[in-house]
């Protein structure tokens, strides 16, 4: 298989391990492109539907959460989405470095499309339960996430893939930064404020696409006009960790960056 065009850092792991937070912080701080697999969920599901994948077809039914947990796991398309993620990443620009994260980033994906580095975050059982409880999931989604976490943990351990156990005291951002210090320093990275803001806008547009595609499903409630999502502040400051809650339908397609209160765009580098 061809090498990825993008210079990619793979970040996988179980639900609740903090992958999204780590990837976002690294992307902001080091000027990286962020590929968040969750924002491609519905595009991947549409591709699976077009391919006639039975589990994808089943998921579109009215009683999708009534199935046994193993059927729910199949409907999550954990295995099927891996090659789709690889295709997405392969199509990305060569620079800057891309941190590609998600539960569907498996050791198999990273082996098939080798990147600059790869690491999987595995939560302790206590942290997993805490994080899942915080999401206020119903019984069926909760059972699915527990099962998915177990599958991912087994995949990582069986593959002997590099991993980090995460508990409530772990500073995962610092740990991953240390593990990847060499590749982060080598780059390529965005170096100007304008480049960093463009990468933040690209990531935020992925969130908009995720919500828009979800509300396009025939079984979803009213469209995204009332949905409020959490976006990354686009000020471009490498030290910024602020987020902005903003209506999806009002997301600015053009114009000034979407910034947290008091976070004006920094002066050009």
């Amino acid at each position: 298989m061809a090498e990825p065009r993008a210079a990619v850092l793979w970040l996988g792991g179980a639900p609740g391990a903090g992958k999204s937070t780590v990837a976002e912080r690294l992307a902001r701080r080091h000027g990286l492109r962020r590929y968040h697999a969750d924002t491609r969920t519905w595009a991947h599901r549409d591709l699976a539907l077009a391919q006639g994948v039975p589990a994808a077809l089943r998921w579109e039914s009215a009683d999708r959460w009534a199935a046994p947990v193993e059927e729910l796991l199949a409907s999550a398309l954990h295995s099927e989405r891996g090659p789709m993620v690889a295709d997405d990443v392969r199509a990305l620009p060569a620079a800057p470095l891309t941190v590609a994260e998600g539960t569907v980033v498996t050791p198999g994906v990273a082996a098939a499309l080798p990147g600059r580095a790869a690491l999987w975050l595995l939560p302790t059982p206590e942290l997993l339960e805490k994080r899942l409880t915080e999401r206020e999931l119903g019984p069926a989604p909760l059972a699915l996430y527990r099962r998915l976490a177990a599958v991912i943990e087994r995949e990582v351990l069986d593959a002997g893939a590099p991993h980090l156990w995460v508990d409530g005291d772990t500073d995962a951002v610092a740990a991953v930064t240390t593990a990847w210090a060499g590749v982060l320093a080598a780059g390529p990275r965005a170096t100007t404020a304008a480049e960093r803001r463009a990468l933040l806008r690209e990531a935020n547009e992925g969130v908009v696409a995720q919500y828009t595609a979800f509300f396009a499903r025939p079984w979803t409630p009213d469209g995204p006009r009332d949905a409020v999502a959490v976006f990354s502040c686009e000020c471009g400051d490498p030290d910024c960790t602020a987020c902005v809650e903003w209506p999806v339908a009002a997301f600015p397609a053009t114009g000034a960056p979407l910034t947290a209160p008091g976070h004006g765009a920094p002066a050009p580098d």
Side-chain angles (χ1 to χ4, degrees), residues 163-207:
H163 59 278
L164 171 69
W165 287 103
V166 180
D167 62 23
D169 297 324
T170 304
D171 185 341
V173 176
V176 177
T177 300
T178 299
W180 287 353
V183 290
L184 290 171
R189 304 185 296 173
T191 57
T192 69
E195 289 171 341
R196 291 194 294 270
R197 289 196 298 271
L199 290 171
L200 289 162
R201 172 53 58 97
E202 181 180 299
N204 282 340
E205 287 174 342
V207 175

Side-chain angles (χ1 to χ4, degrees), residues 24-31 189-193 196-197 200 233 235-242 266-267 269:
E24 187 200 28
R25 296 287 173 83
L26 289 181
R28 292 204 215 192
R29 186 174 300 167
H30 298 281
R189 304 185 296 173
T191 57
T192 69
R196 291 194 294 270
R197 289 196 298 271
L200 289 162
C233 174
C235 71
D237 184 338
D239 295 323
C240 176
T241 60
D269 292 335

Side-chain angles (χ1 to χ4, degrees), residues 73-249:
L73 178 63
S75 295
L77 305 181
H78 180 65
S79 299
E80 290 84 355
R81 290 187 61 204
M84 300 177 191
V85 167
D87 286 343
D88 290 344
V89 170
R90 190 181 292 110
L92 293 174
L97 283 169
T98 292
V99 54
E101 61 92 3
T103 56
V104 291
V105 171
T106 66
V109 172
L113 198 65
R116 299 286 180 84
L119 186 64
W120 281 265
L121 305 182
L122 301 178
T124 61
E126 295 78 13
L127 181 63
L128 176 65
E129 288 303 310
K130 179 178 183 294
R131 295 278 171 82
L132 294 183
T133 299
E134 290 171 349
R135 296 184 184 188
E136 298 182 347
L137 300 167
L142 183 59
L144 170 60
Y145 278 119
R146 285 173 175 154
R147 183 73 182 97
L148 183 59
V151 167
I152 291 169
E153 179 180 319
R154 181 46 49 198
E155 288 175 337
V156 172
L157 297 181
D158 284 351
H163 59 278
L164 171 69
W165 287 103
V166 180
D167 62 23
D169 297 324
T170 304
D171 185 341
V173 176
V176 177
T177 300
T178 299
W180 287 353
V183 290
L184 290 171
R189 304 185 296 173
T191 57
T192 69
E195 289 171 341
R196 291 194 294 270
R197 289 196 298 271
L199 290 171
L200 289 162
R201 172 53 58 97
E202 181 180 299
N204 282 340
E205 287 174 342
V207 175
V208 174
Q210 176 188 19
Y211 274 80
T212 301
F214 169 74
F215 283 109
R217 318 309 281 190
W219 42 263
T220 52
D222 291 340
R225 58 184 176 276
D226 296 325
V228 175
V230 178
F231 296 96
S232 298
C233 174
E234 296 177 359
C235 71
D237 184 338
D239 295 323
C240 176
T241 60
C243 293
V244 183
E245 293 188 3
W246 200 258
V248 173

